[in-house]
Amino acid sequence: MTTPHNLTPSQAADLLVQALPHMQRYDQEVIVIKYGGNAMGDAATAEDFAEDVVLLEQSGLKPVVCHGGGPQIARMLDKLGIKSEFKQGLRVTDAATVDVVEMVLAGSVNKEIVGYISREGGKAIGLCGKDGNMVVARKATRTIVDPDSKIEQVLDLGFVGEPDKVDTSVLDSVLKAELIPVLAPVCAGADGQTYNVNADTFAGAIAGALNAKRLLLLTDVPGVLDKNKTLIPELTVEQCRRLIADGTISGGMIPKIETCIYALEKGVEAVVILDGKVPHAALIELFTDTGSGTIIRM
């Protein structure tokens, strides 16, 4: 008789033995996992992710899940007939949009993830940046240079925020109680206004404040690719900056790399960008010799 996935009992035991030193390395360490909207995929993918999170917690790690939900927000805005304005490719979050963002991220998406983890036997609690003043945001600003006048202009993106201060007291209590926090990147500013914070940036701030052993950015790409579209398994911060300068790292990968650098500078040991649609990607990265995605260190 064989175990699932056609492994013999001996082969399954070999896998567990291989995982043991990795489990010991991460014992009682905080692992922050950013679960992106594009990485969420279908129910089977969500179930695999929930299984990973529960297994990590049961193995002695302290997983903290930070999630996005861009596709879900876009669908709800479309359903409600709220048209989005874009400036230089960035969505402007007006008063109507930020209400939908809070409803979707801190409501439906957050509780859906909590539900998946609970069904796999874990004890999760859904929170957002507002809870206990966990993350206080400031209004985000972006500048562009007008191609004709060469004058720098400030873009007003509405209620888009960036982490300003992080208070870990609520998270410390949750982790001490052996609960799995699931965090939505909806925050309040010092002025009491609600802000939509980029989920990568939010996860980086949380990981830095908790001095996490690892920050895993689960997305819909294998990791950082070279100019031949081949995965780069390991990078340093200096190498990342060179790849940005020569155009190898471009587009949406640049802000992810900037988040990685920020988290590393705040004390996170290493950050990994990996494909969240690969079944059990987090377990492969943390508990096997091969790993997954691109790992970035100082």
Side-chain angles (χ1 to χ4, degrees):
M1 184 174 181
T2 60
T3 54
H5 305 295
N6 297 319
L7 292 178
T8 66
S10 178
Q11 289 171 329
D14 286 341
L15 285 177
L16 291 173
V17 170
Q18 182 187 130
L20 179 59
H22 300 286
M23 292 179 177
Q24 292 171 330
R25 176 193 305 166
Y26 296 116
D27 185 45
Q28 298 303 306
E29 296 285 358
V30 174
I31 308 294
V32 176
I33 308 172
K34 185 267 180 171
Y35 189 38
N38 289 319
M40 290 176 184
D42 55 19
T45 304
E47 288 170 2
D48 284 346
F49 173 76
E51 286 176 349
D52 288 3
V53 172
V54 174
L55 182 56
L56 292 175
E57 197 277 331
Q58 291 293 314
S59 300
L61 287 72
K62 298 179 179 180
V64 176
V65 177
C66 300
H67 66 84
Q72 293 88 336
I73 292 169
R75 286 196 293 269
M76 183 58 72
L77 289 172
D78 184 61
K79 184 177 181 179
L80 296 175
I82 299 174
K83 295 189 179 297
S84 296
E85 178 187 358
F86 290 85
K87 294 182 179 180
Q88 297 296 312
L90 299 171
R91 186 196 300 273
V92 176
T93 303
D94 59 15
T97 301
V98 79
D99 286 344
V100 173
V101 167
E102 184 165 19
M103 176 178 67
V104 172
L105 291 185
S108 59
V109 172
N110 186 269
K111 300 313 173 189
E112 183 178 46
I113 297 171
V114 168
Y116 274 112
I117 293 173
S118 298
R119 284 195 291 274
E120 297 301 330
K123 293 183 178 180
I125 182 169
L127 302 165
C128 75
K130 286 184 174 183
D131 293 307
N133 287 328
M134 185 189 308
V135 179
V136 177
R138 60 177 179 271
K139 183 179 175 65
T141 58
R142 296 289 185 273
T143 59
I144 60 168
V145 177
D146 184 270
D148 297 322
S149 67
K150 307 300 181 185
I151 296 175
E152 190 172 73
Q153 300 175 340
V154 177
L155 290 180
D156 186 353
L157 299 176
F159 301 114
V160 174
E162 295 176 337
D164 188 29
K165 298 176 182 177
V166 180
D167 183 340
T168 65
S169 56
V170 170
L171 287 176
D172 291 339
S173 297
V174 168
L175 292 171
K176 186 176 181 180
E178 298 184 350
L179 298 172
I180 300 169
V182 178
L183 310 179
V186 177
C187 307
D191 55 1
Q193 175 60 53
T194 298
Y195 288 100
N196 175 23
V197 177
N198 175 274
D200 287 341
T201 308
F202 180 87
I206 293 292
L210 289 174
N211 197 29
K213 185 83 168 180
R214 287 285 187 276
L215 167 60
L216 307 184
L217 298 180
L218 271 58
T219 181
D220 57 352
V221 296
V224 180
L225 307 180
D226 64 19
K227 290 185 176 179
N228 295 319
K229 304 303 179 184
T230 301
L231 178 69
I232 304 173
E234 293 186 31
L235 286 169
T236 65
V237 168
E238 183 180 349
Q239 288 170 329
C240 286
R241 288 175 172 146
R242 287 205 301 266
L243 291 176
I244 291 173
D246 70 15
T248 301
I249 295 175
S250 61
M253 185 56 72
I254 292 178
K256 289 187 183 299
I257 295 298
E258 290 173 343
T259 291
C260 295
I261 294 172
Y262 169 83
L264 292 167
E265 290 176 341
K266 290 293 184 179
V268 176
E269 184 183 274
V271 184
V272 186
I273 300 174
L274 63 162
D275 190 347
K277 292 185 177 180
V278 173
H280 304 296
L283 295 186
I284 294 170
E285 168 55 33
L286 295 171
F287 287 166
T288 72
D289 296 336
T290 55
S292 178
T294 301
I295 187 167
I296 302 170
R297 298 184 176 90
M298 288 297 289

